[in-house]
Amino acid sequence: SCFLRHARSRNYASESEMCKLESIPLDFGDYHPLKPITVTESKTKKMNRKGSTSSTSSSSSSSVMDPLSSVLDGTDPLSLFAAAADPVTATVPMDGTRRKRDKDDSPAVGSDFEPWSSKRGEILARYTTTEKLSINLYMGSEKGKATTTGSAVSEKVRTRLEELDDLEEGSQKELLNLTQQDYMNRIEELNQSLKDAWSSDQKVKALKIVIQCSKLLSDTTVIQFYPSKFVLITDILDTFGKLVYERILSMCADNRVSLPDNFSPESVNDTAKETCLNWFFKIASIRELIPRFYVEAAILKCNKFLSKTGISECLPRLTSMIRGIGDPLVAVYARAYLCRVGMEVAPQLKESLNKNFFDFLLTFKQIHGDMVQNQLVGQRVEMPLYLTLYSPAIDWILQCIAYHAPEVLLTEMMERCKKLGNNALLLNSVMSAFRAEFIAARSMDFIAMIKECDESGFPKHLLFRSLGLNLALADPPENDRLQILNEAWKVITKLKNPQDYINCAEVWVEYTCRHFTKREVNTVLADVIKHMTPDRAFEDAYPQLQSIIQKVITYIYDFSLLFSVEKFLPFLDMFQKESVRVEVCKCIMESFIKHQQESTKDPVILNALLHICKTMHDSVNALTLEDEKRMLAALINGFIKMVSFGRDFEQQLSFYVEARSMFCNLEPVLVQLIHSVNQLAMETRKVMKGNHSRKTAAFVRACVAFCFITIPSLSSIFTRLNLYLHSGQVALANQCLSQADAFFKAAVSLVPEVPKMISVDGKMRPSDAFLLEFLCNFLSTLLVVPDHPEQGVLFLVRGLLNVIQDYTWEDNSDDKVRIYTNVLHLLSAMTQEAYIYHVDKVDSNDALYGGDSKFLAEINKLCETVIAQILDHLKTLGKEETLKRQSQLALYFFNTIIAHGDLRNNKLNQLSVNLWNLAQKHGFADTKTMVKTLEYIKRRSQQPEMSHFTDLALRLPLQSRT
């Protein structure tokens, strides 16, 4: 009862001044903390370490020893690296740096060269079959396993040759009727057998497996699977080539120092050279051309061990060997493999690669020969499908030739294509292989060549697609741009097959968006709609249609311009499948949020984006994941924040009301709308400078009503509590006192519904800490809320205290007492003549009551009740297991009395002494805290009108822990 009767009178202004940090004028001179530090290096001799150097760091403000330098004994790690990189000053071992330099000097393809590995998956996915396949597996034989004991070299050679003959004479098993997956599994088994044979030192067996696999490349019985078979078999050949190379390289290591990357043949020892020659002799004795070619190509790199010119001599010979392969498909893949190993081991030998390709051009007419025609009839394969089998090989060969090739080579290729009657297959590969800039510059030439192409076999629309892909990467001459589009679109628009049409249109839309106005884009979109609507063809082309939308919004990101493209929204209507439609809407909204720099009120944009946001919102159902809901809500909120009608606040509120009705299933959107409406009310107050007219007062009440109606529809209880508080504060700031009371009453009545556990980021957590935080904020607001004339004194504080009293707190929680202590802070502030803060144009209780004794008596009664509750709770903590909590709470309450009470009152003084003793009674008090608290009281005693703190300090003993 003594607490508030004797609450300390506060002079907030002087207290604030006293708490400020002392300011001292500083003369910085040259020094400034943000100025860069200058480091000067000085070489100094140290007595204990001969010859080492130390670097001293000095800034303009102070010159002190750099602690890092002293730890490193003066050796700076970066300086060491620099010294190592410099060949003149290098003192580190030569081997590592030389190998690094050697690596840099060796010619190699750069990262701009697309490796074979990136094409592998695409080929395997594209060239598949449902027909049955067969495979010959090497079974091994006793003869193959026998080791020779004869010492004569000729005996050894004869035995080796017999082992190889053994393979060709039928020590193999044919597996028939394999599915594609079985076939791939068998090939993988062979790859593993090769590695196992090699690791168990059965080198001849390993070679036999490789020969057997290579033979499979001469088999074209299931011709449409051939490109995939080539990929699988050449994986085995690559493995073999790597094993042989690493084996010979390991034989070159002297004293465990391996050869540098660009070693010379002179540094290779005789044993390694003999082994290398032995491999080439073994391979030369293979009778059949195809396995002999492939196995030698696989170990092409091993020529480096024999002579400097070995690879450059071998490549032309291998190129010529391919001329002996009769089947043009088998031959072209052999050329592709030779290019593959050639680019890996000697990319600088472009002449051989070019010769390889020109050889292919000379034999190109074989494709239309009788042998191929008979083969196609026998396998019931159409010529167009057959020609696509060549694409991976020709594309790869041309990519190797075109890599860093001069522009003149493209001219030569175009001339060769013309001589072959503008063969479409070749032309397509040329456009795929050469740099986009070269192709774009000759766009009109290519269009002329495409027009003259023979359409049988390879359709023209694929050629236009390849040209379009180049024009998406590089710009053609400005004067040709419209003509190029017209020529291409003439062909594309005549396509009857919707899939062929959309594959081309998708590519050329980017060209149109890049170089033309919305008129041309609109025409193209209209044409796409016309082709894809009949028979609902769009249902099979959603990925391409999505790509078109993506390209359009990439180039036209001014949304007023975008939505003025007449056919844009009808184009969106083709996305009938909900999941795809929502993805497209998300795409458009992401672009809007990214590119829209300033807020908008354009009715075209608003209507279109409301429709798009509504589509996203309506896709939400009971099965929608929380992450998806969050993402959709974030996009819709991004849109809502960008809408502004300027000073037309009523129109703005109407928009929010419409948005609320449209997006009622997404809680974060409703929360955003409430915040936006509160902001609108505060903007109105700002415009009116706090002096509302009748009209603006009515408008602000409408805003407040919007929030009051919307908050109950939210499911999260703490979101509702915080929004009631926030909206109440906004209502109070706008002098809507009865509305503010309604918000605060709603918040008070909601507190009992707070559950013990709440979900935070998907995990269940106790709610006490969140409730404590909310109530502390709420109490701070209640200080300035004036009493309602019909409700009695402090009706909101009383209501809140009743709710806190009835709320079921956790047994091991002291939050209830912490809240009661904060209530004491509030009641103490309420007894002051002038409150610490006010709301502009709103009279708080200090003005309404003017320090009336009846008002202070009411506060005093409340205070008695609260203190009694706190002391009762402290008594219940007297058990052994709760003594530590009792100590902490006693000190917490003690600090409250010190801060807010008038300790000249004897009873209050005695209560504080009792609490101090209770805090230390059982040895749970933190000695440091107690010492600091006592020091604070002694400092306070030196302030004016605080001399009574001196006596108090004498009555507060410090007990040591025992």
Side-chain angles (χ1 to χ4, degrees):
S1 61
C2 55
F3 180 74
L4 284 181
R5 205 172 296 154
H6 297 282
R8 185 162 68 85
S9 295
R10 308 286 290 272
N11 183 334
Y12 292 119
S14 65
E15 282 184 39
S16 172
E17 200 59 41
M18 203 181 298
C19 291
K20 279 184 183 173
L21 291 171
E22 187 181 356
S23 60
I24 302 171
L26 274 179
D27 179 21
F28 282 106
D30 289 338
Y31 171 72
H32 189 278
L34 298 182
K35 191 175 177 182
I37 292 173
T38 54
V39 178
T40 55
E41 186 181 31
S42 60
K43 309 246 169 163
T44 58
K45 295 255 176 172
K46 287 194 179 177
M47 297 305 290
N48 57 344
R49 290 187 193 272
K50 216 168 161 190
S52 77
T53 61
S54 134
S55 70
T56 310
S57 164
S58 66
S59 79
S60 48
S61 65
S62 62
S63 186
V64 290
M65 188 66 186
D66 173 12
L68 295 181
S69 301
S70 56
V71 171
L72 290 164
D73 302 320
T75 53
D76 167 20
L78 295 180
S79 304
L80 275 182
F81 286 137
D86 181 359
V88 180
T89 59
T91 54
V92 291
M94 183 61 190
D95 185 51
T97 50
R98 188 178 66 197
R99 193 177 316 165
K100 171 88 172 66
R101 281 206 308 281
D102 289 345
K103 200 164 189 176
D104 294 341
D105 294 342
S106 64
V109 291
S111 58
D112 55 339
F113 183 80
E114 190 183 358
W116 174 258
S117 55
S118 67
K119 298 179 182 293
R120 191 179 171 281
E122 188 188 332
I123 295 171
L124 289 173
R126 184 176 169 193
Y127 298 98
T128 57
T129 183
T130 53
E131 292 187 36
K132 298 298 181 187
L133 303 155
S134 62
I135 188 171
N136 290 324
L137 282 181
Y138 167 67
M139 299 303 293
S141 68
E142 292 307 312
K143 203 193 307 179
K145 288 173 188 169
T147 54
T148 57
T149 53
S151 58
V153 174
S154 58
E155 183 68 26
K156 191 184 285 186
V157 171
R158 191 184 311 122
T159 309
R160 292 278 170 89
L161 289 175
E162 282 172 4
E163 287 173 346
L164 292 175
D165 289 344
D166 176 47
L167 174 67
E168 302 189 8
E169 285 162 9
S171 62
Q172 45 195 292
K173 172 186 173 188
E174 189 170 20
L175 298 176
L176 303 168
N177 295 327
L178 298 175
T179 64
Q180 182 182 322
Q181 191 56 49
D182 291 339
Y183 188 92
M184 291 168 80
N185 293 342
R186 293 290 180 189
I187 295 287
E188 185 49 47
E189 283 171 24
L190 279 173
N191 203 352
Q192 194 53 48
S193 302
L194 166 67
K195 291 174 185 171
D196 294 343
W198 191 272
S199 59
S200 59
D201 212 27
Q202 292 177 289
K203 304 292 188 290
V204 171
K205 181 181 176 183
L207 179 58
K208 286 178 178 182
I209 291 170
V210 175
I211 294 169
Q212 189 60 55
C213 291
S214 305
K215 280 186 171 185
L216 295 172
L217 289 171
S218 59
D219 172 28
T220 55
T221 46
V222 183
I223 202 161
Q224 63 267 41
F225 184 62
Y226 192 84
S228 290
K229 184 200 286 190
F230 171 79
V231 167
L232 297 167
I233 302 292
T234 50
D235 282 353
I236 295 178
L237 288 163
D238 291 345
T239 302
F240 176 71
K242 191 177 174 191
L243 290 170
V244 173
Y245 183 82
E246 286 174 355
R247 162 83 179 129
I248 298 170
L249 189 65
S250 67
M251 296 171 77
C252 301
D254 292 326
N255 304 324
R256 297 188 179 177
V257 177
S258 57
L259 289 176
D261 280 357
N262 67 339
F263 59 86
S264 64
E266 291 78 37
S267 56
V268 178
N269 59 43
D270 292 344
T271 315
K273 280 185 179 176
E274 189 182 341
T275 307
C276 187
L277 276 170
N278 196 11
W279 276 110
F280 281 111
F281 291 152
K282 279 179 192 171
I283 291 163
S285 66
I286 300 171
R287 291 175 189 170
E288 290 184 32
L289 172 62
I290 289 176
R292 187 165 74 249
F293 164 79
Y294 271 108
V295 181
E296 184 173 352
I299 67 162
L300 181 67
K301 191 177 182 182
C302 295
N303 278 288
K304 286 171 68 176
F305 296 110
L306 301 175
S307 74
K308 280 184 177 176
T309 56
I311 292 173
S312 57
E313 288 165 5
C314 272
L315 275 174
R317 180 171 54 76
L318 289 169
T319 302
S320 302
M321 276 171 73
I322 298 171
R323 293 175 183 173
I325 300 174
D327 188 314
L329 185 66
V330 177
V332 80
Y333 276 94
R335 295 183 191 284
Y337 188 65
L338 189 58
C339 283
R340 212 167 106 189
V341 292
M343 282 301 278
E344 195 179 316
V345 301
Q348 73 278 17
L349 299 176
K350 279 287 180 68
E351 280 303 310
S352 299
L353 300 181
N354 293 356
K355 181 173 180 282
N356 188 6
F357 183 67
F358 295 143
D359 265 12
F360 163 69
L361 293 183
L362 291 171
T363 58
F364 192 73
K365 53 183 178 291
Q366 283 181 293
I367 290 177
H368 301 287
D370 291 343
M371 185 201 90
V372 171
Q373 297 298 335
N374 295 339
Q375 193 180 22
L376 297 186
V377 171
Q379 295 198 35
R380 286 176 291 190
V381 173
E382 297 291 326
M383 184 52 104
L385 174 61
Y386 176 69
L387 286 177
T388 61
L389 302 178
Y390 283 81
S391 290
I394 299 175
D395 287 353
W396 177 258
I397 295 168
L398 276 166
Q399 182 186 321
C400 295
I401 291 171
Y403 181 64
H404 288 181
E407 209 166 341
V408 66
L409 184 63
L410 175 58
T411 314
E412 188 181 345
M413 286 292 173
M414 290 170 74
E415 290 304 318
R416 298 233 177 196
C417 284
K418 283 175 187 171
K419 282 179 189 168
L420 286 167
N422 289 330
N423 181 277
L425 175 65
L426 276 180
L427 201 54
N428 192 57
S429 292
V430 168
M431 287 193 287
S432 302
F434 281 86
R435 280 171 55 191
E437 293 83 0
F438 295 173
I439 305 293
R442 296 170 172 71
S443 298
M444 291 309 296
D445 296 340
F446 275 103
I447 285 175
M449 290 169 75
I450 291 169
K451 281 181 175 175
E452 291 168 21
C453 273
D454 174 17
E455 191 142 11
S456 67
F458 202 93
K460 282 186 184 176
H461 68 84
L462 291 181
L463 297 173
F464 274 109
R465 186 176 190 278
S466 296
L467 181 60
L469 287 168
N470 280 295
L471 295 179
L473 298 170
D475 299 336
E478 200 165 336
N479 299 336
D480 296 342
R481 287 175 187 175
L482 186 58
Q483 193 182 348
I484 291 168
L485 180 61
N486 288 335
E487 293 289 353
W489 210 262
K490 257 189 257 175
V491 176
I492 296 168
T493 196
K494 285 177 188 166
L495 293 171
K496 296 284 183 281
N497 182 323
Q499 207 59 40
D500 290 344
Y501 171 82
I502 197 65
N503 284 335
C504 284
E506 175 205 350
V507 171
W508 281 89
V509 162
E510 182 162 6
Y511 175 75
T512 313
C513 294
R514 194 169 160 140
H515 298 298
F516 299 99
T517 62
K518 70 171 189 177
R519 186 170 137 264
E520 287 81 3
V521 174
N522 194 53
T523 308
V524 170
L525 293 183
D527 195 58
V528 174
I529 294 168
K530 188 177 90 179
H531 276 79
M532 301 309 291
T533 308
D535 302 326
R536 297 177 71 82
F538 53 75
E539 289 183 341
D540 300 319
Y542 284 139
Q544 293 92 328
L545 294 172
Q546 268 181 276
S547 173
I548 289 174
I549 286 286
Q550 184 69 59
K551 284 166 183 170
V552 170
I553 60 179
T554 300
Y555 288 97
I556 309 178
Y557 44 79
D558 176 352
F559 274 71
S560 55
L561 185 63
L562 179 67
F563 290 125
S564 65
V565 175
E566 198 182 320
K567 293 294 178 182
F568 183 74
L569 290 175
F571 190 93
L572 289 184
D573 291 337
M574 284 197 289
F575 295 99
Q576 304 271 305
K577 187 180 176 186
E578 189 182 56
S579 59
V580 182
R581 193 180 177 85
V582 171
E583 281 305 315
V584 171
C585 291
K586 278 157 67 174
C587 210
I588 294 169
M589 290 313 300
E590 281 166 5
S591 176
F592 175 77
I593 290 164
K594 180 180 176 184
H595 293 295
Q596 189 71 23
Q597 297 296 324
E598 49 197 45
S599 51
T600 181
K601 60 177 180 180
D602 184 330
V604 176
I605 295 179
L606 295 192
N607 288 332
L609 291 183
L610 274 173
H611 170 69
I612 287 167
C613 289
K614 177 79 173 139
T615 303
M616 296 195 305
H617 169 270
D618 292 350
S619 70
V620 174
N621 55 40
L623 301 176
T624 307
L625 297 172
E626 285 302 316
D627 275 355
E628 177 70 4
K629 285 185 188 174
R630 259 199 298 275
M631 182 188 279
L632 295 176
L635 292 172
I636 295 172
N637 284 346
F639 163 60
I640 288 169
K641 288 176 192 171
M642 292 307 295
V643 176
S644 170
F645 290 89
R647 283 290 184 89
D648 191 349
F649 291 162
E650 288 179 352
Q651 182 70 38
Q652 189 84 32
L653 183 59
S654 301
F655 169 76
Y656 292 144
V657 171
E658 186 185 357
R660 180 178 63 184
S661 66
M662 292 174 86
F663 308 126
C664 54
N665 288 337
L666 287 171
E667 191 158 303
V669 179
L670 294 179
V671 172
Q672 177 59 46
L673 287 169
I674 292 166
H675 283 308
S676 296
V677 170
N678 276 330
Q679 190 179 352
L680 190 61
M682 293 308 286
E683 278 178 23
T684 309
R685 176 180 182 273
K686 186 178 175 185
V687 168
M688 300 303 291
K689 297 181 179 162
N691 300 310
H692 283 299
S693 64
R694 185 177 294 178
K695 185 180 176 183
T696 59
F699 174 74
V700 166
R701 283 197 293 274
C703 292
V704 169
F706 175 99
C707 298
F708 194 74
I709 293 164
T710 312
I711 293 171
S713 63
L714 304 175
S715 61
S716 165
I717 193 154
F718 278 103
T719 304
R720 273 186 282 161
L721 281 171
N722 285 314
L723 284 173
Y724 274 135
L725 176 58
H726 184 222
S727 303
Q729 290 166 343
V730 170
L732 198 60
N734 283 285
Q735 299 126 51
C736 303
L737 301 184
S738 57
Q739 286 85 349
D741 281 351
F743 278 117
F744 297 140
K745 278 183 193 168
V748 169
S749 60
L750 194 57
V751 170
E753 295 176 31
V754 174
K756 292 284 163 286
M757 305 291 285
I758 56 167
S759 175
V760 180
D761 296 332
K763 293 177 183 172
M764 296 308 288
R765 300 271 168 82
S767 62
D768 288 7
F770 296 95
L771 184 58
L772 179 63
E773 183 188 0
F774 166 76
L775 289 173
C776 289
N777 287 339
F778 193 22
L779 291 170
S780 301
T781 303
L782 289 181
L783 174 65
V784 291
V785 178
D787 280 345
H788 194 286
E790 296 167 14
Q791 299 278 5
V793 178
L794 301 180
F795 73 103
L796 282 172
V797 180
R798 290 175 192 280
L800 184 60
L801 284 170
N802 291 336
V803 165
I804 295 167
Q805 177 63 27
D806 296 340
Y807 186 78
T808 315
W809 298 88
E810 290 288 329
D811 292 337
N812 61 347
S813 166
D814 298 318
D815 287 337
K816 184 177 180 180
V817 173
R818 292 183 187 281
I819 292 166
Y820 279 149
T821 312
N822 282 323
V823 170
L824 288 179
H825 300 169
L826 168 67
L827 295 174
S828 165
M830 283 182 160
T831 62
Q832 304 302 319
E833 281 183 32
Y835 292 172
I836 188 170
Y837 48 82
H838 292 89
V839 176
D840 191 32
K841 309 274 193 301
V842 174
D843 288 333
S844 297
N845 286 340
D846 55 344
L848 293 181
Y849 291 110
D852 184 77
S853 57
K854 288 181 183 175
F855 172 63
L856 295 177
E858 287 294 330
I859 293 178
N860 199 43
K861 279 183 197 169
L862 274 181
C863 188
E864 286 176 19
T865 313
V866 171
I867 289 179
Q869 290 282 348
I870 294 172
L871 295 175
D872 285 349
H873 185 80
L874 282 171
K875 283 176 192 167
T876 63
L877 298 178
K879 299 174 192 159
E880 193 171 343
E881 63 273 15
T882 54
L883 289 175
K884 186 172 184 181
R885 283 166 55 198
Q886 186 189 55
S887 167
Q888 289 169 341
L889 279 183
L891 186 60
Y892 187 58
F893 189 25
F894 171 83
N895 285 331
T896 294
I897 293 174
I898 293 294
H900 299 278
D902 185 351
L903 290 163
R904 283 174 290 208
N905 174 271
N906 291 336
K907 284 185 179 177
L908 196 55
N909 205 307
Q910 188 56 48
L911 175 60
S912 64
V913 172
N914 293 346
L915 287 169
W916 175 268
N917 291 332
L918 181 61
Q920 297 185 99
K921 187 174 181 183
H922 300 286
F924 285 105
D926 178 49
T927 311
K928 276 187 183 176
T929 308
M930 302 306 279
V931 169
K932 284 185 177 178
T933 307
L934 193 55
E935 283 173 2
Y936 166 75
I937 291 168
K938 287 174 181 174
R939 275 203 310 277
R940 286 282 301 273
S941 68
Q942 294 165 11
Q943 292 171 8
E945 298 180 23
M946 288 290 176
S947 54
H948 56 281
F949 267 52
T950 309
D951 298 333
L952 177 66
L954 295 173
R955 297 177 63 200
L956 301 178
L958 277 174
Q959 293 179 7
S960 58
R961 287 193 188 181
T962 53

